[in-house]
Amino acid sequence: MEYNAMVWFRKGLRIHDNPALDLACRRSKHLFPVFVLDPRYLDPDPSAFSPGSTRSGLNRIRFLLESLSDLDSSLRKLGSRLLVLRGDPVRVVSQILMDWNIGTLCFEFDTEPYSQVRDNQVKDFASKCGIQVFSPISHTLFSPADIIKKNGGKPPLTYQAFVKLAGQPPPPLTEAYTCLPPVGDLRGCELLDIPQIDELGYGDISQEEFSPIRGGESEALKRLEESLKNKEWVAKFEKPKGDPSAFLKPATTLLSPYLKFGCLSSRYFYQCIQNVYKNVGKHTFPPVSLVGQLLWREFFYTVAFGTPNFDQMKGNKICKQIPWNDNEGLLIAWREGQTGYPWIDAIMIQQLKKWGWMHHLARHSVACFLTRGDLFIHWEKGRDVFERQLIDSDWAINNGNWLWLSCSSFFYQYHRIYSPTTFGKKYDPDGKFIRHFLPVLKDMPKEYIYEPWSAPLSVQEKAKCIIGRDYPIPVVDHGIASKDCKRRVGEAYALNLPSDSLETEEKLSGLRRKFQEDNKDIATYTSSKQRKRKDK
């Protein structure tokens, strides 16, 4: 018997290796490919710290819209089209299931908490109406639920344990469509055109500098092909050896945004890498290899799916309880690239704010600086900035990395800190990265480019950059602040507080008060040193 079938796109914005699309095509007389523009994600938020919605900055929204346009173009080539509607997804999808007489509903399984609630509501409605629902796993290589089941009902908390449990992923689908079933009767339903970014009510965005990274499956497959051309590079890829200062040609694939939106299938990517390995022979292995990076993604997805309150400190059983500072001024200085540390500021201003992407070691640098390295600000605050501004911001991976880099979970060697002055210098001793992205420092001599406050006033004048006037004095003294951070994390670790109890709240408050008292002395000493620098 033939049915009207609907494929509901959310992530998985592609034709290749798309099990939800494949299932919807089978036995369907008419196919309804649907995307619902969710106001929660797209509506302007004038109170946000940068143009965009409550959930996202403009770069990621534009990437999504470009991906939808590309998907629509691909569907049209196959005799179909993307049916775009707007509103609360549960309400909209429930309505059109009835209006269009849908017998089969297919959508890719999504692990995020918001998505789980949304999808379960739609499933319940469809079930009551006698509609078949299929929700295959294809955003990840493995089913997080299956991995957790193999591990006795708990998510594995180390990468090595995860890899042992995971095994080999299923191969991608190889179906190459020449046509799709036609769209059925829309019964007068008013469809929308895919909007342009400037049509969403964000005000005047003519001065915004958008990311050079463009969205869509076509772009994803083109970038993948380019990355795989250099088989030796693929075979020898080692994550720790990447150069975070490379900006004309980033030292990585730049495919993470496409994996985030499902413009590129992780299973197809995995298979392509394996094909290169077979041809080349000798290659690197997880955790540092390219395959290893895909497995890191899977690890974080699995832990996030199996950990209640994964995206916060309170109530999160795998998160260390640490009394972080609540200093809005320091947070804003970090967020706006005004810390006085050129390596940190160049990353935050250009790579994050303007490009919506950063090399992973650059992310490590700025995340460590904000949390346990220098400023001692809560990792959730940094997570929120990344979540808004990164094109590839992925709920599980973003939270997982902030837990890791703040030494709140997974990684606990808090004495190992990324220096905001010497780390970048290892890769870029001349400071080309800083000069390019912070033009105010372009004429600063190389011996001072990472620590411009240390330059004599005569040098600053010649470079046309007076520290404290043209570029900020450092917000903290790294030598003092990093030692203080280590001490604080050590004291919090020693308490070993449970994640959620009245006693925990009381002890954290007591420790926070102690740290605030300590802060007064440190702040006085630091500001004194900064005044001396300014007076040089």
Side-chain angles (χ1 to χ4, degrees), residues 347-348 350-356 358 385-386 389-390:
I347 293 168
M348 294 300 293
Q350 182 66 30
Q351 285 211 307
L352 179 58
K353 208 170 189 178
K354 295 183 179 178
W355 284 15
M358 292 184 286
V385 173
F386 274 26
Q389 294 192 323
L390 282 173

Side-chain angles (χ1 to χ4, degrees), residues 172-184:
L173 302 177
T174 56
E175 178 74 25
Y177 301 101
T178 55
C179 66
L180 295 173
V183 175

Side-chain angles (χ1 to χ4, degrees), residues 148-405:
I148 291 168
K149 186 177 179 181
K150 283 183 185 178
N151 199 47
K154 295 181 179 180
L157 296 181
T158 67
Y159 179 85
Q160 292 77 11
F162 169 82
V163 171
K164 285 181 182 178
L165 290 164
Q168 292 297 313
L173 302 177
T174 56
E175 178 74 25
Y177 301 101
T178 55
C179 66
L180 295 173
V183 175
D185 184 2
L186 299 175
R187 301 193 181 183
C189 179
E190 187 175 345
L191 300 177
L192 302 175
D193 292 329
I194 298 166
Q196 298 294 312
I197 188 73
D198 57 359
E199 296 172 343
L200 292 174
Y202 297 117
D204 182 9
I205 57 173
S206 59
Q207 300 304 308
E208 291 294 319
E209 182 178 340
F210 284 100
S211 172
I213 306 169
R214 309 307 296 264
E217 178 184 19
S218 300
E219 183 69 19
L221 294 175
K222 185 170 77 174
R223 283 184 180 272
L224 176 64
E225 184 180 1
E226 284 296 315
S227 295
L228 297 178
K229 274 182 182 176
N230 189 342
K231 292 181 170 54
E232 186 177 355
W233 179 84
V234 173
K236 291 183 177 179
F237 181 91
E238 287 189 63
K239 183 175 179 179
K241 293 184 178 180
D243 181 355
S245 70
F247 58 92
L248 294 176
K249 190 180 188 312
T252 184
T253 65
L254 220 65
L255 289 171
S256 55
Y258 304 96
L259 290 168
K260 180 263 187 306
F261 281 99
C263 301
L264 174 64
S265 156
S266 57
R267 301 193 303 192
Y268 181 63
F269 188 17
Y270 181 94
Q271 184 187 63
C272 288
I273 298 170
Q274 294 291 355
N275 289 342
V276 170
Y277 288 171
K278 288 175 185 175
N279 289 331
V280 174
K282 189 176 180 181
H283 60 83
T284 55
F285 290 91
V288 298
S289 63
L290 269 183
V291 161
Q293 305 321 297
L294 283 176
L295 295 178
W296 275 112
R297 177 177 184 264
E298 298 290 315
F299 168 66
F300 281 133
Y301 262 88
T302 301
V303 180
F305 184 67
T307 305
N309 303 312
F310 183 71
D311 59 346
Q312 60 190 55
M313 181 177 81
K314 189 175 180 181
N316 181 349
K317 290 185 177 180
I318 70 168
C319 182
K320 295 283 189 183
Q321 303 299 295
I322 298 172
W324 301 103
N325 278 346
D326 186 17
N327 188 316
E328 190 70 11
L330 289 178
L331 173 66
I332 292 172
W334 174 82
R335 187 185 74 201
E336 301 300 325
Q338 294 290 305
T339 68
Y341 286 93
W343 172 245
I344 300 297
D345 294 343
I347 293 168
M348 294 300 293
I349 287 174
Q350 182 66 30
Q351 285 211 307
L352 179 58
K353 208 170 189 178
K354 295 183 179 178
W355 284 15
W357 178 88
M358 292 184 286
H359 187 277
H360 64 273
L361 290 177
R363 301 181 197 214
H364 292 189
S365 293
V366 297
C368 179
F369 183 86
L370 180 72
T371 56
R372 64 184 173 84
D374 290 82
L375 304 187
F376 209 67
I377 303 295
H378 203 309
W379 62 267
E380 291 177 22
K381 300 285 189 179
R383 181 273 320 280
D384 290 345
V385 173
F386 274 26
E387 181 180 328
R388 178 172 190 77
Q389 294 192 323
L390 282 173
I391 295 174
D392 63 4
S393 177
D394 189 302
W395 185 81
I397 301 168
N398 190 29
N399 280 290
N401 277 323
W402 276 97
L403 283 163
W404 186 296
L405 290 164

Side-chain angles (χ1 to χ4, degrees), residues 106-123:
C106 302
F107 55 84
E108 182 180 69
F109 184 78
D110 195 326
T111 58
E112 294 184 22
Y114 168 76
S115 306
Q116 286 279 298
V117 172
R118 175 198 64 197
D119 294 354
N120 286 333
Q121 289 176 341
V122 170
K123 283 181 183 178

